[in-house]
Amino acid sequence: MKRLVVALVMLACSLLATPAAHADQTIGFPTFGGPAIPAPPTAYTPGDMMRTMYDAESSGTDFWMDRLLARTGNDPAGSWLMSRGRALFMKTHNPAVLGFGGHVAYWESVNDNNAYTVAITPGTFTEQVSQRRQTPSHWTSVHTGGSVTVSQTKFITDNNVAVTNLSIRNAGTAATTLQLRAASPYATTGGGSELTGQVNAYNNLTTLRPRLTGDGFTATGGQLVRSVTIAPGATATAKVVMGFVTDEIPASLTEYNAYAGYSNATAFATHVRAYNLWWAQNVPYIDVPEPAIKKNIYYRWWLMRFNNLDADIPGQTFQFPTSTEGVLGYNNAIALTQPMHIDDLKYLRDPSYAYGDWLSVGQVSKGGRFLDNPGDPENWSNSYTQYIAEAAWKSYQIHGGQPGIAASLAHYAEGDVKGQLAQYDHDNNKLIEYDWGAMTGNDADAVSFHWKPGNMDRAESAYQYSGALAAAQAYEATGNTTKATEMRTLAGQIKDAILNVLWNPNRQLFEHRLKSTNEWVPWKEINNYYPFSVGAVPDTATYKQALRLFADPAQYPVFPFYTANQTDKKAAADAGNPGSNNFSTINSTVQFRLYSSVLRNYPNTWMNATDYKKLLYWNTWAQYVGGNTQWPDANEFWADWNGSTVNYRSWIHHNILGSSNWTVIEDVAGLRPRGDAKVELSPINIGWSHFTVNNLRYRGADLSIVWDDPADGVQRYPGVPEGYSIYVNGNRAATVNSLVPFTWDPATGEVTTSGTVTYRTAVAGLRAPNQVVQSSPRMVDMLAKAGVDLTADLPNLASGAAVSASSTGSGTGVAGAVDGYPTNEPFWGAGGSPGGQDWYELNLGTARTLDEVRLYFKDSRPASAAYRAPAAYTVQYHNGSTWVNVPGQTRSPEVPRANYNVVRFPALGAQRIRILVTHASGARTGLTEVKVHRRGGAQPSAGPLAATAYTPTHR
């Protein structure tokens, strides 16, 4: 809860006297300043535009995305380093220091020290800030001392290698001899040209083995030193390389060795090309008429990458790629904002990004209500104001995959809905009850809690409704109609409770309800409208009366997009409870969701497409410091809006909280996720003359959407006819002459629309989500860690087995390791066992043929050292008289690892098998799951051994 406490204290101090908003619903559109954005290097293609752009520049080192997001000179947002690796980045950054000065982080700040610094003597070198330039891929700066100028280029590679290239020029009239010293607190021992060390990452989640080297340097006294003599007018070069090596990312060592051997130019070119290739591989090209919005879209893509953690830490914390709340602030995977991230991440072409988020939260939530990642318990809340299941289901509708993926999603979603109700629904009326404002994730801005103390039935229960529907749909995708019916029934019960308990017919509003007195709470937030956002409200004139408040700027202004109803906020302030009154991308995301649903499902006279357009433009404006497109900075929140400017921007910079790219894709361009093989477009027409969303990955195919208004007679995209078109794999599939909803059936080519169809054709190969096969090494490895085998659909012989153990620790049970899911809990553990070895047995009931056992070992970090992967283990079977080792065992990985391990052996028949473990020093062994298979001729899955050799190309 540290995050909430710190935020509340800060806001109480700085915003105590903040008046209620005076934004006007008649607010116009913002004015943007700043330089023009660079033009694409190639003409538009309806095929793969981002790849075409990359290929046009791939022989050089200057790329469109770097130019688009470049920041020069003194950055008003701060000198944060944009370059980062899968887990390595600079939590703070000191540009005055050569090298990587500041606080280096590996998922989080290691211990608030520099990564390494490079000192040059004699002389004092001063950075020339006006010559500073950084791009997403690299940083360049100039440092001068007397007649010597040092030009620095530095970057962090994908696999966590920090590289500094130095070019040292002597402009004097005489030769000069300089001493270069590279030093790191994390690598202080060694010889030759290399220093090494060992340090634990924050919260001891993993072990780092840093290695530091430099061209021509020699290890002396715990530093690397080099002497260089430079003739007058000459230039010398130097390079320093530091790898933050971990066992779980073997490529971290491979990449370190490679960059250590490169020349400066080769190192730079290799990195910059690899970094920019990621955009071509993952990001759809989006073009819109407003340059400020276009740039902000790509800034948001960069934010998703910058705030993504892909540390692959074995165990029950960060084993999956996951978005974090903001690496420069409260750096954890916070449940509140995970669905907002998923909404955008699902439109990266690699599904591992979106799927990683919901797999991660599902695997660390103990089979119940969704929780924040336990990797950083200091910033651990238990928010119920999240719609992860709903967002996850939409991501599955976009990318699809084997039914086993949907089955896991359904299981997590069911656990969340039932777990939330079990935790908070004290009277079993199917509504969440709570009494504390910060629980909603809007900190002190949820004004309703200040009306009267006590538990309230809450409108946030709408998210349990959407979660239950998501679970039902996911179960249907697996063919499990019994569970689907159960979850649809539960969704209906929650919906009925929302309508019967929270609807105030006297005021014609949905209002929270105080349990102690049964009063409807008159003070409201945007949260009161969540039932409309998720479609839990019938489309009737009576219920739609609640939307009338959005026509009144004194109630819910389009901008700023506050949490609290502003009339109620004033009432609270007048009553002595002013709280804070912030606005943030979290709030605009919620507002976008409301408009997205209302404009399609609840047509009314108070909310319209122009309001939506204003929200889109003002949301973009808020991201830029002073509206200047040179300086995008997504802060955690903003405050003190005075009618024309924002006077306070949060101390957390380049934050991913909230989302907005999905709004352009789903609302403006109109793509609607759905569960069958059809493609549906339903645009909100905001009057744009043109736009394109190019090369989305859609269930294994490439999908592009293009709108070019025929009415203006201007053809904006070469080779693309005017109108509203769908392209599949670069070929046109359908065109309608106006910007109206239409649904295209790829099997027949049929188009259903109110517009005029000018072209349509059938396209073979497009599939429903559950017909898609995900087979990339990345996805196979990731899903295997979550207990899903994408390579074969094999029976789990451990299901239904009778289980026992030599010792069972408090808080654990033997059944926890055969429940079918390797979630962090429930599990079996040998905690408290007095011996150095223990066993866990499965009795299969009858002799079965088997040749594979999958073991998921518990790791209790960071909470305690109670459970760790064993020092050693073996699989045994009972031969009728005694226990013997299964012959021919091949373990992957060879050394036991937290979470996922695979043992394969020649097929044998056995009824009873057990896992005999030798505990790690100072710990005991636990199992979150055991799976037993007969693979036979099935293709071997990509287990840890394959994953070890796999170098991701997804970043």
Side-chain angles (χ1 to χ4, degrees):
M1 300 312 300
K2 184 176 80 173
R3 167 182 178 267
L4 297 174
V5 172
V6 172
L8 290 173
V9 169
M10 287 182 58
L11 300 180
C13 294
S14 65
L15 304 174
L16 190 61
T18 300
H22 52 80
D24 193 336
Q25 199 75 331
T26 58
I27 191 170
F29 291 89
T31 299
F32 298 97
I37 68 171
T42 62
Y44 180 78
T45 172
D48 189 344
M49 180 65 176
M50 290 297 287
R51 185 62 193 237
T52 300
M53 292 163 60
Y54 175 83
D55 288 344
E57 300 182 319
S58 61
S59 62
T61 56
D62 181 26
F63 290 89
W64 183 75
M65 280 291 288
D66 276 345
R67 296 193 300 275
L68 177 67
L69 298 179
R71 309 173 80 97
T72 58
N74 191 16
D75 189 338
S79 55
W80 314 102
L81 186 66
M82 298 173 78
S83 179
R84 69 158 291 161
R86 294 172 59 179
L88 184 70
F89 65 98
M90 298 303 294
K91 185 82 174 189
T92 66
H93 177 229
N94 184 357
V97 175
L98 294 171
F100 289 82
H103 296 162
V104 69
Y106 190 95
W107 94 261
E108 180 55 284
S109 179
V110 180
N111 54 16
D112 294 349
N113 266 315
N114 304 320
Y116 65 87
T117 60
V118 182
I120 301 177
T121 55
T124 299
F125 289 85
T126 303
E127 188 204 359
Q128 304 305 302
V129 175
S130 64
Q131 298 184 60
R132 179 188 300 168
R133 181 177 187 267
Q134 79 157 319
T135 72
S137 69
H138 66 280
W139 167 286
T140 60
S141 57
V142 175
H143 306 251
T144 58
S147 62
V148 176
T149 298
V150 180
S151 298
Q152 174 186 236
T153 300
K154 61 184 177 184
F155 50 86
I156 300 175
T157 73
D158 183 45
N159 287 296
N160 307 317
V161 181
V163 180
T164 301
N165 284 344
L166 299 176
S167 178
I168 309 169
R169 182 175 182 273
N170 177 13
T173 59
T176 184
T177 298
L178 301 172
Q179 304 299 318
L180 280 61
R181 293 185 176 272
S184 171
Y186 303 113
T188 58
T189 62
S193 63
E194 184 180 58
L195 295 171
T196 61
Q198 180 171 309
V199 64
N200 285 339
Y202 185 70
N203 280 342
N204 299 321
L205 295 191
T206 192
T207 300
L208 311 177
R209 296 182 174 83
R211 303 175 72 140
L212 179 69
T213 190
D215 298 344
F217 285 78
T218 301
T220 302
Q223 297 182 335
L224 296 177
V225 299
R226 176 184 173 184
S227 178
V228 57
T229 299
I230 309 173
T235 299
T237 61
K239 182 174 95 281
V240 179
V241 177
M242 187 171 190
F244 283 74
V245 176
T246 61
D247 292 344
E248 59 268 18
I249 305 180
S252 58
L253 178 58
T254 304
E255 204 155 275
Y256 163 76
N257 287 328
Y259 277 85
Y262 291 150
S263 67
N264 286 29
T266 299
F268 177 69
T270 300
H271 165 72
V272 171
R273 290 167 186 165
Y275 182 93
N276 281 279
L277 179 60
W278 186 93
W279 304 119
Q281 292 172 331
N282 286 283
V283 169
Y285 176 77
I286 297 179
D287 179 55
V288 300
E290 173 51 62
I293 293 178
K294 181 172 181 176
K295 180 171 181 177
N296 186 57
I297 290 167
Y298 292 95
Y299 172 65
R300 294 293 305 185
W301 291 138
W302 172 76
L303 286 180
M304 285 176 238
R305 186 174 182 180
F306 183 67
N307 290 285
N308 189 269
L309 174 65
D310 187 16
D312 200 14
I313 296 173
Q316 280 77 41
T317 53
F318 296 115
Q319 60 184 319
F320 303 104
T322 188
S323 60
T324 58
E325 181 175 285
V327 295
L328 300 180
Y330 305 111
N331 184 15
N332 197 20
I334 306 297
L336 166 72
T337 51
Q338 290 300 287
M340 301 179 183
H341 302 169
I342 293 169
D343 277 344
D344 278 354
L345 289 167
K346 70 176 181 286
Y347 291 116
L348 294 180
R349 289 172 55 80
D350 185 341
S352 69
Y353 290 99
Y355 286 16
D357 268 25
W358 59 259
L359 282 169
S360 179
V361 76
Q363 286 295 114
V364 303
S365 294
K366 309 175 184 179
R369 61 192 176 94
F370 290 153
L371 301 171
D372 296 353
N373 194 289
D376 190 356
E378 289 181 335
N379 293 325
W380 195 7
S381 73
N382 50 352
S383 172
Y384 57 72
T385 311
Q386 47 77 19
Y387 50 95
I388 292 172
E390 175 193 337
W393 173 243
K394 288 180 180 177
S395 75
Y396 183 77
Q397 288 178 309
I398 294 297
H399 287 289
Q402 290 87 321
I405 300 176
S408 287
L409 195 161
H411 175 75
Y412 301 147
E414 178 184 0
D416 177 53
V417 174
K418 291 181 176 178
Q420 299 285 4
L421 292 174
Q423 179 74 13
Y424 299 117
D425 179 18
H426 307 294
D427 61 358
N428 196 34
N429 71 345
K430 306 304 179 188
L431 296 178
I432 293 295
E433 304 161 29
Y434 213 74
D435 65 351
W436 185 38
M439 269 297 293
T440 65
N442 305 99
D443 294 330
D445 301 329
V447 68
S448 60
F449 290 106
H450 301 293
W451 183 60
K452 289 182 182 180
N455 274 344
M456 302 173 184
D457 277 330
R458 302 287 301 179
E460 292 91 345
S461 302
Y463 287 159
Q464 278 66 64
Y465 167 78
S466 69
L469 276 186
Q473 291 172 299
Y475 277 127
E476 286 165 353
T478 70
N480 191 337
T481 56
T482 300
K483 293 297 292 184
T485 299
E486 176 191 345
M487 296 309 296
R488 283 194 180 274
T489 299
L490 179 56
Q493 292 170 340
I494 297 169
K495 176 180 178 178
D496 289 344
I498 291 171
L499 300 178
N500 295 330
V501 177
L502 300 182
W503 178 252
N504 183 343
N506 300 319
R507 286 161 52 87
Q508 293 187 300
L509 294 168
F510 285 103
E511 295 178 333
H512 312 306
R513 201 158 185 176
L514 193 66
K515 299 300 295 185
S516 59
T517 65
N518 209 33
E519 295 172 277
W520 282 289
V521 180
W523 292 354
K524 302 171 293 300
E525 306 89 31
I526 188 69
N527 309 35
N528 288 67
Y529 287 85
Y530 289 174
F532 284 100
S533 300
V534 301
V537 182
D539 179 20
T540 68
T542 298
Y543 286 121
K544 287 194 292 190
Q545 279 292 317
L547 302 171
R548 69 191 183 276
L549 301 189
F550 284 85
D552 184 355
Q555 303 271 353
Y556 289 105
V558 167
F559 181 80
F561 21 76
Y562 294 108
T563 299
N565 175 290
Q566 292 301 285
T567 297
D568 297 338
K569 189 67 174 177
K570 184 179 185 304
D574 291 344
N577 292 296
S580 56
N581 201 28
N582 307 315
F583 56 99
S584 71
T585 308
I586 290 178
N587 299 129
S588 63
T589 301
V590 169
Q591 202 133 315
F592 276 126
R593 280 171 52 82
L594 177 64
Y595 272 92
S596 179
S597 175
V598 165
L599 294 182
R600 292 185 175 91
N601 305 315
Y602 304 99
N604 64 86
T605 60
W606 306 292
M607 302 170 71
N608 55 56
T610 299
D611 295 337
Y612 187 100
K613 184 175 182 178
K614 289 179 181 178
L615 180 61
L616 184 67
Y617 276 67
W618 281 105
N619 176 67
T620 297
W621 183 88
Q623 313 294 323
Y624 294 114
V625 178
N628 186 336
T629 59
Q630 177 65 32
W631 308 117
D633 186 17
N635 301 93
E636 181 188 22
F637 63 87
W638 307 287
D640 289 350
W641 163 255
N642 65 13
S644 61
T645 60
V646 173
N647 290 326
Y648 180 79
R649 303 179 75 91
S650 165
W651 63 276
I652 302 179
H653 300 269
H654 300 308
N655 201 290
I656 197 180
L657 294 186
S659 59
S660 59
N661 282 2
W662 66 271
T663 68
V664 176
I665 297 169
E666 295 182 21
D667 289 340
V668 179
L671 179 65
R672 309 304 294 163
R674 56 187 292 149
D676 59 18
K678 296 179 181 179
V679 177
E680 178 184 355
L681 302 184
S682 179
I684 295 174
N685 190 342
I686 61 172
W688 276 353
S689 60
H690 63 281
F691 57 73
T692 185
V693 175
N694 174 281
N695 214 46
L696 293 169
R697 195 64 176 165
Y698 188 77
R699 306 175 193 166
D702 294 330
L703 179 71
S704 295
I705 304 166
V706 186
W707 163 243
D708 190 353
D709 191 350
D712 60 15
V714 179
Q715 187 175 22
R716 292 177 174 82
Y717 300 109
V720 177
E722 293 177 309
Y724 191 27
S725 300
I726 292 173
Y727 282 76
V728 176
N729 297 329
N731 300 310
R732 186 159 61 128
T735 301
V736 174
N737 73 334
S738 53
L739 192 62
V740 294
F742 75 88
T743 301
W744 168 69
D745 186 343
T748 63
E750 180 181 356
V751 173
T752 304
T753 182
S754 63
T756 300
V757 179
T758 60
Y759 181 83
R760 65 181 180 86
T761 188
V763 175
L766 283 185
R767 293 156 287 184
N770 62 353
Q771 296 171 329
V772 174
V773 175
Q774 298 288 352
S775 59
S776 71
R778 176 68 163 172
M779 287 290 286
V780 169
D781 174 62
M782 193 170 76
L783 268 298
K785 290 171 181 170
V788 180
D789 186 353
L790 297 184
T791 67
D793 185 15
L794 302 174
N796 177 16
L797 304 182
S799 179
V803 289
S804 58
S806 57
S807 178
T808 299
S810 174
T812 81
V814 291
V818 288
D819 65 352
Y821 298 91
T823 52
N824 57 344
E825 294 181 21
F827 72 103
W828 165 78
S833 172
Q837 287 188 320
D838 275 290
W839 51 260
Y840 180 87
E841 180 186 343
L842 301 91
N843 188 327
L844 307 181
T846 186
R848 306 295 296 271
T849 301
L850 55 143
D851 56 13
E852 177 186 89
V853 176
R854 298 190 176 200
L855 304 172
Y856 296 81
F857 289 118
K858 172 75 173 179
D859 192 308
S860 55
R861 284 176 290 192
S864 70
Y867 289 103
R868 296 288 184 270
Y873 70 88
T874 189
V875 178
Q876 298 183 317
Y877 75 103
H878 200 271
N879 65 6
S881 57
T882 189
W883 289 99
V884 295
N885 292 344
V886 169
Q889 296 180 44
T890 301
R891 299 175 186 83
S892 176
E894 293 183 4
V895 177
R897 180 174 291 177
N899 197 43
Y900 180 50
N901 297 256
V902 177
V903 187
R904 296 196 179 106
F905 42 85
L908 62 83
Q911 176 177 330
R912 298 169 61 192
I913 63 170
R914 73 178 187 180
I915 296 88
L916 179 66
V917 298
T918 300
H919 303 305
S921 176
R924 288 297 177 262
T925 304
L927 284 164
T928 62
E929 193 65 21
V930 178
K931 289 178 178 281
V932 180
H933 298 123
R934 165 64 166 130
R935 296 199 68 86
Q939 176 186 353
S941 66
L945 192 62
T948 297
Y950 171 57
T951 302
T953 59
H954 61 283
R955 182 174 296 281

